[in-house]
């Protein structure tokens, strides 16, 4: 029974229409409300390897909580810095179309969030589908401030493979007994390589092979005959890793939130910043099997952590007393294992999952990646690099210097004197980049804050060339705001006559991070259709700190939907 509470017959229709209007507005608003996550940064004590230290975490968790979204969704993450030092958060691999303001790299797209400060970050997903991750982008804070991003297909759609019984993030990392800020500032003071880690970790735990670690070892319970999607992320600060599961093959189905033609492998090579989606088929006799990760380090004379982290794949019904077996992984300096693995990457390139490789190139670039050395400007005890120098790094012989105000605000508000737009298209000198020995004159880079300007919708091709200046190394290069097609990969010096005819323009992988191999090269292509300021850097953190970084500025297009969106009201101040 409807009560009219004494309203006259003339007033009842008016009240009815008003109530309908309010309800409709409420429905409309609810349909467009964005989901929110709360990230409270705070220090928490964690014990590993028989010792306890404080680490910075998000909401007290290490690793941090996963973010779950559907393809094309937009969310808000409210970040509160309850720590004791500046921090930013980056959404690794999320393209953030037309909205670089909340991309996160410190002094590139924003100034850091100070202790006690906050920043509500809009995260805009577009064509990504699969596994990405979020992490801090200040100093080396991502060591403990990181977590997975799980991007499901659009509602009503499905995976291009049978749905697994369970999906499990597998985050690979490093652990130091020393505090990460102490490690970072000691590294800066010496001018040399940092101290190597005390352990590698799987989901924050070192595993059975380390002291005081068995109790916390991560365990994955599986049922025989079922399949499990492993969403593998390499958050190690300094090294690529090999990963595998004893007595099992892994079916690789995706990388960097893009699907691949499935293939089977007994090991995975994964560099810092990269993600791999692989299906574990529980098709062995019920038992306990180690999953494990160990280092890939091909640079001679560089110290490295030669330990192995483990977790346990535990079949339901397996005897608890059974001893797990270890997978057979490539040796630490295997000269081809990682490239043999990544050479198998092929995009699906179907009607449902099409690709669009740029063909008519309008901007051709050639970038060299070098470890360098600069003369000592202080006393010798703070210059522990080769011949009492300080180690540095560069792209095209330019070692990037962080500004004191972020590049994006300087660009948007036309603030002069923050950066120069003369980042070189090519290195200053062409030589045998991968020769065994090179003149000492090549070791000293130029220092500067330089950017490369791209026109909207430029079709860009970049040759990434590793060098043996000071030392060769693997360089996982990450480009913010974009994914790119990896059309070529090889060893030695890229050859302009021999290599382009062998490019894969049919089904190349679509990635946001590609490892330029030790004394080798890679070629990428992408369309510069995302206006804004976008960072590009090596994801080995010591190389990035040394200056192996640069930024692109993609200019606005002519239409409203090809221009940068305005900044948020709570952008942190410098």
């Amino acid at each position: 029974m409807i009560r009219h509470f004494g309203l006259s017959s003339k007033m009842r229709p008016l009240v009815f229409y008003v109530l309908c209007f309010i309800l409709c507005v409420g429905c409309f608003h609810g349909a467009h409300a964005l989901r929110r996550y709360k990230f409270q940064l705070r220090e928490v004590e964690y014990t590993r390897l028989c010792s306890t230290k404080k680490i910075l975490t998000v909401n007290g968790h290490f690793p941090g909580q996963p973010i779950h979204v559907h393809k094309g969704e937009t969310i808000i993450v409210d970040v509160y810095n309850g720590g004791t030092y500046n921090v930013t958060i980056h959404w690794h691999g999320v393209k953030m179309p037309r909205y670089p303001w909340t991309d996160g790299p410190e002094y590139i797209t924003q100034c850091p969030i100070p202790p006690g400060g906050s920043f509500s970050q809009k995260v805009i997903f577009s064509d990504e589908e699969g596994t990405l991750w979020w992490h801090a982008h200040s100093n080396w804070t991502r060591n403990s401030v990181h977590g997975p991003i799980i991007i499901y297909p659009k509602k009503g759609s499905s995976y291009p493979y049978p749905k697994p019984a369970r999906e499990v993030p597998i985050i690979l990392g490093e652990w130091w007994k020393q505090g990460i800020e102490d490690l970072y500032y000691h590294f800066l003071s010496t001018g040399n390589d940092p101290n190597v880690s005390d352990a590698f970790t799987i989901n924050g735990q070192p595993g059975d092979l380390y002291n005081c670690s068995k109790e916390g070892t991560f365990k994955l319970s599986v049922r025989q005959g079922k399949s499990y999607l492993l969403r593998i992320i390499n958050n190690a600060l300094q090294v690529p890793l090999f990963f595998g599961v004893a007595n099992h093959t892994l079916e690789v189905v995706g990388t960097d939130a893009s699907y691949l033609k499935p293939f089977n492998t007994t090991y995975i090579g994964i560099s810092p910043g990269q993600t791999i989606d692989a299906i574990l088929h529980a098709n062995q006799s019920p038992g306990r099997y180690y999953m494990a990760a160990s280092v890939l380090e091909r640079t001679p004379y560089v110290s490295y952590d030669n330990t192995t982290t483990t977790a346990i794949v535990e079949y339901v019904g397996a005897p608890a007393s059974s001893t797990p077996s270890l997978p057979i992984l490539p040796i630490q300096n295997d000269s081809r294992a990682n490239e043999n693995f990544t050479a198998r990457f092929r995009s699906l390139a179907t009607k449902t999952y099409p690709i669009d490789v740029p063909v008519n190139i309008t901007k051709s670039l050639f970038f060299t990646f070098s470890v360098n050395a600069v003369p000592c400007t202080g006393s010798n005890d703070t210059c522990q690099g080769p011949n009492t120098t300080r180690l540095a790094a560069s792209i095209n012989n330019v070692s990037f210097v962080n500004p004191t105000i972020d590049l994006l605000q300087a660009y948007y508000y036309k603030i002069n004197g923050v950066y120069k737009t003369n980042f070189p298209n090519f290195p200053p000198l062409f030589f045998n980049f991968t020769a065994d020995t090179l003149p000492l004159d090549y070791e000293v880079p130029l220092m500067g804050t330089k950017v490369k300007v791209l026109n909207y919708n430029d079709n860009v091709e970049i040759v990434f060339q590793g060098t043996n200046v000071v030392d060769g190394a693997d360089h996982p290069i990450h480009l913010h705001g974009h994914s790119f097609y990896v059309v070529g990969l090889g060893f030695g010096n890229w050859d302009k006559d021999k290599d382009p005819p062998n490019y894969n323009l049919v089904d190349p992988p679509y990635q946001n991070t590609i490892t330029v191999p030790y004394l080798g090269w890679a070629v990428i292509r992408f369309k510069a259709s995302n206006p804004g300021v976008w960072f590009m850097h090596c994801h080995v953190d010591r190389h990035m700190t040394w200056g192996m970084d640069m930024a692109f500025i993609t200019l606005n297009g002519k239409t409203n939907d090809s221009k940068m969106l305005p900044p948020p009201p709570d952008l942190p101040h410098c």
Side-chain angles (χ1 to χ4, degrees):
M1 176 179 176
I2 299 175
R3 297 181 181 273
H4 299 297
F5 299 103
L7 293 174
S8 70
S9 58
K10 292 182 179 180
M11 289 292 293
R12 289 171 195 162
L14 177 61
V15 171
F16 174 78
Y17 288 124
V18 169
L19 288 173
C20 287
F21 175 77
I22 291 171
L23 287 171
C24 288
V25 169
C27 292
F28 179 83
H29 176 76
H32 289 77
L34 301 180
R35 290 194 300 118
R36 302 186 85 102
Y37 285 80
K38 181 179 179 179
F39 276 19
Q40 178 76 50
L41 287 149
R42 66 176 186 267
E43 289 189 338
V44 177
E45 286 190 344
Y46 271 77
T47 300
R48 299 287 186 272
L49 307 178
C50 318
S51 63
T52 300
K53 68 174 183 178
K54 284 186 176 181
I55 62 173
L56 192 65
T57 67
V58 167
N59 300 334
H61 299 298
F62 169 69
Q65 70 183 75
I67 287 177
H68 297 270
V69 298
H70 286 273
K71 181 178 179 178
E73 190 175 350
T74 297
I75 62 171
I76 302 290
V77 182
D78 297 309
V79 181
Y80 303 88
N81 185 4
T84 58
Y85 45 86
N86 292 340
V87 73
T88 65
I89 303 293
H90 168 54
W91 320 99
H92 185 112
V94 182
K95 297 181 182 65
M96 309 288 286
R98 301 195 297 135
Y99 199 71
W101 300 103
T102 53
D103 183 46
E106 185 177 54
Y107 294 113
I108 306 299
T109 59
Q110 70 171 86
C111 289
I113 307 168
S118 63
F119 185 26
S120 293
Q121 298 188 235
K122 181 187 291 186
V123 186
I124 305 173
F125 296 87
S126 53
D127 63 353
E128 307 90 357
E129 188 173 330
T131 305
L132 294 174
W133 60 305
W134 58 265
H135 61 81
H137 215 302
S138 304
N139 298 347
W140 295 354
T141 311
R142 73 173 175 89
N143 179 247
S144 60
V145 179
H146 60 266
I149 300 175
I150 313 302
I151 310 167
Y152 301 110
K154 286 186 175 180
K155 293 180 180 179
S157 301
S158 59
Y159 297 130
Y161 46 79
K163 185 176 180 180
R166 185 181 168 195
E167 302 179 15
V168 185
I170 301 292
I171 303 177
L172 310 178
E174 292 179 272
W175 182 269
W176 283 264
K177 293 181 180 179
Q178 185 180 15
I180 201 67
E181 286 289 286
D182 293 339
L183 174 78
Y184 175 75
Y185 285 107
H186 179 262
F187 155 77
L188 290 182
S189 72
T190 66
N192 204 351
D193 284 308
N195 296 332
V196 300
S197 57
D198 295 296
F200 296 116
T201 58
I202 295 177
N203 288 350
Q205 295 288 348
D208 287 1
L209 306 184
Y210 299 89
N211 290 335
C212 308
S213 299
K214 280 193 174 184
E215 185 177 338
T217 297
F218 174 75
K219 295 180 177 65
L220 172 61
S221 177
V222 302
R223 289 186 178 274
Q224 190 178 39
K226 300 291 186 180
S227 296
Y228 300 83
L229 177 61
L230 306 184
R231 297 181 178 272
I232 307 165
I233 299 163
N234 187 353
N235 178 59
L237 293 188
Q238 310 296 356
V239 291
L241 294 166
F242 291 118
F243 172 86
V245 180
N247 292 19
H248 291 73
T249 58
L250 296 169
E251 184 183 6
V252 175
V253 294
T255 181
D256 289 357
S258 180
Y259 293 120
L260 296 173
K261 290 181 171 69
F263 65 90
N264 292 325
T265 182
T266 57
Y267 71 91
I268 281 170
I270 183 168
S271 291
Q274 292 182 319
T275 68
I276 300 287
D277 287 347
I279 298 174
L280 170 69
H281 298 285
N283 54 13
Q284 297 299 301
S285 301
R288 303 169 78 236
Y289 302 86
Y290 277 131
M291 63 172 74
S294 60
V295 69
L296 163 63
E297 180 55 80
R298 294 183 278 200
T299 304
Y301 316 117
V302 169
S303 299
Y304 61 90
D305 182 347
N306 65 353
T307 62
T308 299
T309 180
T310 59
I312 299 175
V313 175
E314 204 165 47
Y315 279 69
V316 172
S321 59
S322 61
T323 302
S325 54
L326 280 166
I328 299 173
L329 299 176
I331 60 174
Q332 134 273 336
N333 62 349
D334 191 302
S335 62
R336 292 292 187 270
N338 192 50
E339 287 67 40
N340 289 343
F341 170 71
T342 57
R344 302 175 71 183
F345 288 9
R346 296 286 186 272
S347 289
L348 289 181
T350 63
K351 184 176 180 180
T352 306
Y353 303 97
I355 63 172
D356 186 16
V357 185
V359 176
N360 298 314
I361 302 302
T362 59
K363 181 71 73 174
S364 294
L365 305 170
F366 188 105
F367 287 1
T368 54
F369 296 87
S370 302
V371 175
N372 301 95
V374 295
C376 188
T377 56
S379 59
N380 286 345
D381 63 352
T382 62
C383 296
Q384 299 175 16
N387 302 314
T388 62
T389 61
R390 295 182 65 82
L391 288 171
S394 66
I395 303 176
N396 276 358
N397 206 46
V398 177
S399 187
F400 188 80
V401 177
N402 267 349
T404 55
I405 179 175
D406 64 273
L407 297 180
L408 180 57
Q409 289 195 69
Y411 165 63
Y412 189 80
Y413 293 112
K414 298 180 173 59
I415 301 171
N416 294 325
V418 177
Y419 62 85
K420 294 182 178 180
T421 58
N422 61 343
F423 188 90
N425 291 349
F426 306 97
L429 184 68
F430 280 82
F431 53 94
N432 182 1
F433 299 113
T434 58
D436 289 340
T437 58
L438 292 169
L440 293 178
D441 293 349
Y442 295 175
E443 292 186 358
V444 181
L446 301 174
M447 314 297 286
T449 308
K450 299 187 177 188
V451 304
K452 171 55 58 182
V453 177
L454 302 174
N455 292 316
Y456 183 79
N457 268 350
D458 262 344
N459 287 330
V460 183
E461 178 180 284
I462 314 179
V463 176
F464 291 160
Q465 176 68 60
T467 80
N468 202 27
V469 175
V470 178
D471 266 326
D474 289 284
H475 299 301
I477 304 302
H478 172 50
L479 176 59
H480 291 225
H482 304 75
S483 288
F484 46 74
Y485 294 99
V486 182
V487 299
L489 189 74
F491 290 94
N493 298 318
W494 176 81
D495 189 302
K496 66 180 178 61
D497 298 315
K498 294 180 180 178
D499 291 317
N502 297 316
Y503 288 171
N504 176 11
L505 304 179
V506 177
D507 56 359
Y510 192 50
Q511 299 176 260
N512 62 62
T513 306
I514 179 62
T515 299
V516 181
Y518 173 76
L519 303 184
W521 56 269
V523 180
I524 69 167
R525 291 185 179 185
F526 65 94
K527 182 179 285 291
S529 56
N530 195 5
V533 177
W534 304 107
F535 199 32
M536 192 180 81
H537 61 93
C538 182
H539 225 285
V540 171
D541 276 25
R542 67 184 186 276
H543 295 169
M544 181 174 66
T545 302
W546 285 337
M548 195 174 283
D549 339 314
M550 57 84 65
F552 290 102
I553 293 179
T554 299
L555 301 177
N556 283 330
K558 295 180 179 179
T559 60
N560 287 335
D561 62 358
S562 63
K563 299 181 189 301
M564 263 182 60
L565 295 168
D570 61 340
L571 195 66
H573 297 292
C574 293

